[in-house]
Amino acid sequence: MTEAELQAAVRAFVRDEVAPAAAAWSMGAAPDPALLGRAGALGLMRIQVPAEAGGLGLGFAAKARAAETLARADFGFAMSVVNTQNVALRLVASAERRVWEPLLPDLLSGRSSACTALTEPGAGSDFASISTTARRDGEGWRLDGEKCWVINARHAAFAIVYAQCGEPGDRDGIGAFLVPLDRPGCSRYPLDAPFAQTSMGTGGFRLEGVRIPADHVVFAPGQAFGAILDEINGARAYVAAMCCGMLGAAIEAAGDYGESRRSFGRALAGHQAWRLALARAGVALAAARAITAEAVAAVDRGAPAQLAAAQAKIAAVDTCRRQLPELLHLMGAEGLRPQHPFSRHLAAAEIATLTDGSTEMLLERVHRLMRRAPAP
Ligand SMILES: Cc1cc2nc3c(=O)[nH]c(=O)nc-3n(C[C@H](O)[C@H](O)[C@H](O)COP(=O)(O)OP(=O)(O)OC[C@H]3O[C@@H](n4cnc5c(N)ncnc54)[C@H](O)[C@@H]3O)c2cc1C
């Protein structure tokens, strides 16, 4: 499958299947599990996975573009899909082949899903302070602790769990482990919020004496902290792209409404004050797209992307947070209806301020990197 074929298929899937269902999800309905299967059949869980492992072997930019298209309709569903793919990629890159080979067909086809679990009730931004432990247990490992606010945790077949193998607070003691979530001692729960978390599958799980074999180590103790910092640049870049997708969809929806809704004898778009607000959102989107494209290109070619990815995520998320309320306002009361994307995209933009590094954490990073970067 070429990238052009993939992106055309994603656009049709979003138009015909994701967008029509998203209004109900935002009101709390759960997605039909078969939809993840249809996303899998299109290749959405295998875009960046190497061809020899059954993937499409396309680049990061293709994954970011597909995530952006999905997010135009529903950020949560897009995050669910991309997180399963990330686990597939991580396992192929870092786990033992005999461990991932039997799991991959179900993952890539969307028959099962997976999640990446760092956050805990007591530790979010301060990742080094996680208290989930992994201790040697005969030939294998025993895990104890709790993870929360994890995308796909409601339905994932397994998780990559980050756990402390050494002393509390020691970033060099953290390892990562493949944990099947049906193991004895593992219990999961959904996490909800006024913005329904169904399409993102947000949840948590407790691990009480969960035993896993020795070959389920994904990152040995000491390797996990650095590895996740590298991987997260890609996540920041695609979250920025997804924000551009959400804002682009909202601008189009408001633009269409402005042509059809009339006030004082003319279309809303016939009023200068109304259309200038729409134009301002378009300018802001163009700026966010430019900085996002730079970050996506850097990740795609394997160049250092820490600064570009952090800047893109901050800029695109902030742009969404500023412009989406303005666009909702341009719609009048109609903008609040769930069949329009404004309120769910606005809630998603708030979530995007937290996932994959909160805005404050990223600003700290930008400050550090700016001081090191050569003058332009
Ligand atoms: C819907 C959703 C999905 C998520 N999915 C996942 C997932 O799949 N896997 C996963 O592991 N995690 C996930 N997360 C968790 C996310 O990564 C955390 O929310 C994030 O790391 C922030 O941690 P926290 O919420 O505990 O906030 P805290 O760390 O408690 O921070 C609270 C606030 O204080 C600010 N703050 C903290 N420290 C500082 C500081 N030093 N200086 C200035 N400000 C500071 C933060 O920016 C934030 O605004 C998800 C979260 C949400 C909401």
Side-chain angles (χ1 to χ4, degrees), residues 58 70-71 85 118 138 154 174 193 211 236-237 241 273 303 311 323 338 340-341 346 360 366:
L58 297 171
L70 287 170
Q85 174 168 185
L118 295 87
R154 293 181 192 211
I174 297 176
R211 290 184 164 77
R236 289 169 185 163
Q311 286 175 330
Q323 297 301 330
H340 299 300
L346 187 52
E360 288 73 24
V366 166

PDB file of all heavy atoms in Angstrom, residues 58 70-71 85 118 138 154 174 193 211 236-237 241 273 303 311 323 338 340-341 346 360 366:
ATOM      1  N   LEU A  58       6.141   2.472   6.560  1.00  0.00           N
ATOM      2  CA  LEU A  58       6.173   3.884   6.151  1.00  0.00           C
ATOM      3  C   LEU A  58       6.843   4.710   7.256  1.00  0.00           C
ATOM      4  O   LEU A  58       7.139   4.205   8.340  1.00  0.00           O
ATOM      5  CB  LEU A  58       4.749   4.391   5.878  1.00  0.00           C
ATOM      6  CG  LEU A  58       4.028   3.695   4.714  1.00  0.00           C
ATOM      7  CD1 LEU A  58       2.561   4.097   4.670  1.00  0.00           C
ATOM      8  CD2 LEU A  58       4.699   4.037   3.378  1.00  0.00           C
ATOM      9  N   LEU A  70      -7.534  11.434  11.722  1.00  0.00           N
ATOM     10  CA  LEU A  70      -8.446  10.825  12.701  1.00  0.00           C
ATOM     11  C   LEU A  70      -8.896  11.849  13.731  1.00  0.00           C
ATOM     12  O   LEU A  70     -10.070  11.910  14.117  1.00  0.00           O
ATOM     13  CB  LEU A  70      -7.753   9.660  13.419  1.00  0.00           C
ATOM     14  CG  LEU A  70      -7.530   8.378  12.623  1.00  0.00           C
ATOM     15  CD1 LEU A  70      -6.624   7.427  13.411  1.00  0.00           C
ATOM     16  CD2 LEU A  70      -8.853   7.680  12.319  1.00  0.00           C
ATOM     17  N   ALA A  71      -7.937  12.696  14.181  1.00  0.00           N
ATOM     18  CA  ALA A  71      -8.255  13.660  15.237  1.00  0.00           C
ATOM     19  C   ALA A  71      -9.221  14.733  14.759  1.00  0.00           C
ATOM     20  O   ALA A  71      -9.904  15.346  15.573  1.00  0.00           O
ATOM     21  CB  ALA A  71      -6.972  14.301  15.773  1.00  0.00           C
ATOM     22  N   GLN A  85      -0.467   1.313  18.116  1.00  0.00           N
ATOM     23  CA  GLN A  85       0.642   1.186  17.163  1.00  0.00           C
ATOM     24  C   GLN A  85       1.997   1.428  17.841  1.00  0.00           C
ATOM     25  O   GLN A  85       2.986   0.754  17.556  1.00  0.00           O
ATOM     26  CB  GLN A  85       0.486   2.164  16.001  1.00  0.00           C
ATOM     27  CG  GLN A  85       1.712   2.119  15.117  1.00  0.00           C
ATOM     28  CD  GLN A  85       1.588   2.824  13.781  1.00  0.00           C
ATOM     29  OE1 GLN A  85       2.503   2.743  12.995  1.00  0.00           O
ATOM     30  NE2 GLN A  85       0.503   3.470  13.511  1.00  0.00           N
ATOM     31  N   LEU A 118       2.909   4.855  32.367  1.00  0.00           N
ATOM     32  CA  LEU A 118       3.913   5.508  33.207  1.00  0.00           C
ATOM     33  C   LEU A 118       3.242   6.124  34.443  1.00  0.00           C
ATOM     34  O   LEU A 118       3.726   5.999  35.558  1.00  0.00           O
ATOM     35  CB  LEU A 118       4.625   6.629  32.435  1.00  0.00           C
ATOM     36  CG  LEU A 118       5.483   6.240  31.237  1.00  0.00           C
ATOM     37  CD1 LEU A 118       4.668   6.165  29.959  1.00  0.00           C
ATOM     38  CD2 LEU A 118       6.607   7.247  31.046  1.00  0.00           C
ATOM     39  N   GLY A 138      12.425 -15.392  41.368  1.00  0.00           N
ATOM     40  CA  GLY A 138      12.930 -16.592  40.698  1.00  0.00           C
ATOM     41  C   GLY A 138      13.534 -16.205  39.360  1.00  0.00           C
ATOM     42  O   GLY A 138      14.334 -15.284  39.267  1.00  0.00           O
ATOM     43  N   ARG A 154      -8.798   0.512  29.407  1.00  0.00           N
ATOM     44  CA  ARG A 154     -10.089  -0.177  29.587  1.00  0.00           C
ATOM     45  C   ARG A 154     -10.151  -1.510  28.858  1.00  0.00           C
ATOM     46  O   ARG A 154     -10.806  -2.439  29.302  1.00  0.00           O
ATOM     47  CB  ARG A 154     -11.236   0.679  29.046  1.00  0.00           C
ATOM     48  CG  ARG A 154     -11.460   1.937  29.820  1.00  0.00           C
ATOM     49  CD  ARG A 154     -12.620   2.721  29.247  1.00  0.00           C
ATOM     50  NE  ARG A 154     -12.614   4.035  29.839  1.00  0.00           N
ATOM     51  CZ  ARG A 154     -13.699   4.756  30.051  1.00  0.00           C
ATOM     52  NH1 ARG A 154     -14.874   4.300  29.716  1.00  0.00           N
ATOM     53  NH2 ARG A 154     -13.606   5.948  30.594  1.00  0.00           N
ATOM     54  N   ILE A 174      14.782   2.555  36.745  1.00  0.00           N
ATOM     55  CA  ILE A 174      13.483   2.276  36.113  1.00  0.00           C
ATOM     56  C   ILE A 174      13.647   1.344  34.906  1.00  0.00           C
ATOM     57  O   ILE A 174      14.539   1.540  34.075  1.00  0.00           O
ATOM     58  CB  ILE A 174      12.788   3.596  35.693  1.00  0.00           C
ATOM     59  CG1 ILE A 174      12.495   4.446  36.945  1.00  0.00           C
ATOM     60  CG2 ILE A 174      11.500   3.327  34.931  1.00  0.00           C
ATOM     61  CD1 ILE A 174      11.908   5.816  36.653  1.00  0.00           C
ATOM     62  N   ALA A 193     -14.522  11.415  33.061  1.00  0.00           N
ATOM     63  CA  ALA A 193     -14.454  12.842  33.365  1.00  0.00           C
ATOM     64  C   ALA A 193     -15.687  13.456  32.723  1.00  0.00           C
ATOM     65  O   ALA A 193     -16.373  12.786  31.944  1.00  0.00           O
ATOM     66  CB  ALA A 193     -13.174  13.421  32.769  1.00  0.00           C
ATOM     67  N   ARG A 211       3.043 -11.680  38.343  1.00  0.00           N
ATOM     68  CA  ARG A 211       4.290 -12.345  37.943  1.00  0.00           C
ATOM     69  C   ARG A 211       4.381 -12.418  36.424  1.00  0.00           C
ATOM     70  O   ARG A 211       3.416 -12.777  35.754  1.00  0.00           O
ATOM     71  CB  ARG A 211       4.341 -13.754  38.536  1.00  0.00           C
ATOM     72  CG  ARG A 211       4.533 -13.703  40.032  1.00  0.00           C
ATOM     73  CD  ARG A 211       4.681 -15.065  40.673  1.00  0.00           C
ATOM     74  NE  ARG A 211       5.231 -14.905  42.015  1.00  0.00           N
ATOM     75  CZ  ARG A 211       4.512 -14.488  43.059  1.00  0.00           C
ATOM     76  NH1 ARG A 211       3.221 -14.230  42.932  1.00  0.00           N
ATOM     77  NH2 ARG A 211       5.090 -14.341  44.244  1.00  0.00           N
ATOM     78  N   ARG A 236       5.003  14.013  20.921  1.00  0.00           N
ATOM     79  CA  ARG A 236       4.725  15.466  20.977  1.00  0.00           C
ATOM     80  C   ARG A 236       4.445  16.009  19.578  1.00  0.00           C
ATOM     81  O   ARG A 236       3.554  16.845  19.402  1.00  0.00           O
ATOM     82  CB  ARG A 236       5.912  16.184  21.621  1.00  0.00           C
ATOM     83  CG  ARG A 236       5.979  15.890  23.087  1.00  0.00           C
ATOM     84  CD  ARG A 236       7.243  16.328  23.769  1.00  0.00           C
ATOM     85  NE  ARG A 236       7.188  15.852  25.147  1.00  0.00           N
ATOM     86  CZ  ARG A 236       8.224  15.750  25.957  1.00  0.00           C
ATOM     87  NH1 ARG A 236       9.437  16.110  25.555  1.00  0.00           N
ATOM     88  NH2 ARG A 236       8.071  15.313  27.189  1.00  0.00           N
ATOM     89  N   ALA A 237       5.197  15.507  18.609  1.00  0.00           N
ATOM     90  CA  ALA A 237       5.005  16.001  17.235  1.00  0.00           C
ATOM     91  C   ALA A 237       3.643  15.569  16.690  1.00  0.00           C
ATOM     92  O   ALA A 237       2.943  16.347  16.048  1.00  0.00           O
ATOM     93  CB  ALA A 237       6.137  15.505  16.340  1.00  0.00           C
ATOM     94  N   ALA A 241       0.295  17.735  15.526  1.00  0.00           N
ATOM     95  CA  ALA A 241      -0.418  17.537  14.251  1.00  0.00           C
ATOM     96  C   ALA A 241      -1.910  17.294  14.503  1.00  0.00           C
ATOM     97  O   ALA A 241      -2.776  17.789  13.763  1.00  0.00           O
ATOM     98  CB  ALA A 241       0.188  16.369  13.480  1.00  0.00           C
ATOM     99  N   ALA A 273     -17.283  41.630  11.217  1.00  0.00           N
ATOM    100  CA  ALA A 273     -16.711  41.235  12.521  1.00  0.00           C
ATOM    101  C   ALA A 273     -16.697  39.713  12.643  1.00  0.00           C
ATOM    102  O   ALA A 273     -15.767  39.121  13.201  1.00  0.00           O
ATOM    103  CB  ALA A 273     -17.523  41.854  13.651  1.00  0.00           C
ATOM    104  N   ALA A 303      16.375  13.195  12.942  1.00  0.00           N
ATOM    105  CA  ALA A 303      17.229  14.281  13.443  1.00  0.00           C
ATOM    106  C   ALA A 303      16.872  14.580  14.902  1.00  0.00           C
ATOM    107  O   ALA A 303      15.783  14.212  15.360  1.00  0.00           O
ATOM    108  CB  ALA A 303      17.009  15.526  12.585  1.00  0.00           C
ATOM    109  N   GLN A 311       8.408  22.625  21.130  1.00  0.00           N
ATOM    110  CA  GLN A 311       7.844  23.905  20.670  1.00  0.00           C
ATOM    111  C   GLN A 311       6.548  23.684  19.892  1.00  0.00           C
ATOM    112  O   GLN A 311       5.573  24.420  20.058  1.00  0.00           O
ATOM    113  CB  GLN A 311       8.859  24.648  19.783  1.00  0.00           C
ATOM    114  CG  GLN A 311      10.000  25.246  20.580  1.00  0.00           C
ATOM    115  CD  GLN A 311      11.056  25.883  19.682  1.00  0.00           C
ATOM    116  OE1 GLN A 311      11.252  25.452  18.555  1.00  0.00           O
ATOM    117  NE2 GLN A 311      11.738  26.881  20.198  1.00  0.00           N
ATOM    118  N   GLN A 323      -8.195  29.357  20.064  1.00  0.00           N
ATOM    119  CA  GLN A 323      -9.082  29.541  18.914  1.00  0.00           C
ATOM    120  C   GLN A 323     -10.393  28.764  19.008  1.00  0.00           C
ATOM    121  O   GLN A 323     -11.417  29.212  18.499  1.00  0.00           O
ATOM    122  CB  GLN A 323      -8.357  29.167  17.612  1.00  0.00           C
ATOM    123  CG  GLN A 323      -7.148  30.040  17.310  1.00  0.00           C
ATOM    124  CD  GLN A 323      -7.514  31.517  17.181  1.00  0.00           C
ATOM    125  OE1 GLN A 323      -8.626  31.858  16.781  1.00  0.00           O
ATOM    126  NE2 GLN A 323      -6.585  32.405  17.539  1.00  0.00           N
ATOM    127  N   PRO A 338     -23.541  18.257  20.191  1.00  0.00           N
ATOM    128  CA  PRO A 338     -22.454  17.274  20.049  1.00  0.00           C
ATOM    129  C   PRO A 338     -22.172  16.861  18.604  1.00  0.00           C
ATOM    130  O   PRO A 338     -21.110  16.324  18.324  1.00  0.00           O
ATOM    131  CB  PRO A 338     -22.932  16.074  20.874  1.00  0.00           C
ATOM    132  CG  PRO A 338     -24.403  16.268  21.040  1.00  0.00           C
ATOM    133  CD  PRO A 338     -24.672  17.737  20.984  1.00  0.00           C
ATOM    134  N   HIS A 340     -21.469  18.803  16.361  1.00  0.00           N
ATOM    135  CA  HIS A 340     -20.368  19.673  15.941  1.00  0.00           C
ATOM    136  C   HIS A 340     -19.141  19.342  16.800  1.00  0.00           C
ATOM    137  O   HIS A 340     -19.281  18.901  17.939  1.00  0.00           O
ATOM    138  CB  HIS A 340     -20.739  21.146  16.127  1.00  0.00           C
ATOM    139  CG  HIS A 340     -21.919  21.552  15.308  1.00  0.00           C
ATOM    140  ND1 HIS A 340     -21.931  21.460  13.935  1.00  0.00           N
ATOM    141  CD2 HIS A 340     -23.133  22.057  15.658  1.00  0.00           C
ATOM    142  CE1 HIS A 340     -23.105  21.886  13.476  1.00  0.00           C
ATOM    143  NE2 HIS A 340     -23.848  22.248  14.501  1.00  0.00           N
ATOM    144  N   PRO A 341     -17.937  19.601  16.284  1.00  0.00           N
ATOM    145  CA  PRO A 341     -16.759  19.122  17.011  1.00  0.00           C
ATOM    146  C   PRO A 341     -16.248  20.077  18.100  1.00  0.00           C
ATOM    147  O   PRO A 341     -15.314  19.736  18.806  1.00  0.00           O
ATOM    148  CB  PRO A 341     -15.703  19.030  15.895  1.00  0.00           C
ATOM    149  CG  PRO A 341     -16.078  20.107  14.929  1.00  0.00           C
ATOM    150  CD  PRO A 341     -17.593  20.181  14.972  1.00  0.00           C
ATOM    151  N   LEU A 346     -12.367  21.057  22.162  1.00  0.00           N
ATOM    152  CA  LEU A 346     -11.867  21.943  23.217  1.00  0.00           C
ATOM    153  C   LEU A 346     -11.423  21.122  24.431  1.00  0.00           C
ATOM    154  O   LEU A 346     -10.336  21.348  24.992  1.00  0.00           O
ATOM    155  CB  LEU A 346     -12.982  22.923  23.606  1.00  0.00           C
ATOM    156  CG  LEU A 346     -12.630  24.042  24.560  1.00  0.00           C
ATOM    157  CD1 LEU A 346     -11.409  24.806  24.093  1.00  0.00           C
ATOM    158  CD2 LEU A 346     -13.823  24.995  24.665  1.00  0.00           C
ATOM    159  N   GLU A 360       3.870  23.044  31.030  1.00  0.00           N
ATOM    160  CA  GLU A 360       4.883  23.629  31.923  1.00  0.00           C
ATOM    161  C   GLU A 360       6.198  22.853  31.831  1.00  0.00           C
ATOM    162  O   GLU A 360       7.280  23.446  31.763  1.00  0.00           O
ATOM    163  CB  GLU A 360       4.396  23.636  33.386  1.00  0.00           C
ATOM    164  CG  GLU A 360       3.309  24.646  33.677  1.00  0.00           C
ATOM    165  CD  GLU A 360       1.958  24.247  33.079  1.00  0.00           C
ATOM    166  OE1 GLU A 360       1.738  23.040  32.841  1.00  0.00           O
ATOM    167  OE2 GLU A 360       1.136  25.153  32.827  1.00  0.00           O
ATOM    168  N   VAL A 366      12.145  23.658  26.825  1.00  0.00           N
ATOM    169  CA  VAL A 366      12.454  24.624  25.766  1.00  0.00           C
ATOM    170  C   VAL A 366      13.464  25.642  26.284  1.00  0.00           C
ATOM    171  O   VAL A 366      14.437  25.974  25.603  1.00  0.00           O
ATOM    172  CB  VAL A 366      11.166  25.330  25.277  1.00  0.00           C
ATOM    173  CG1 VAL A 366      11.486  26.548  24.437  1.00  0.00           C
ATOM    174  CG2 VAL A 366      10.309  24.354  24.474  1.00  0.00           C
TER     175      VAL A 366
END
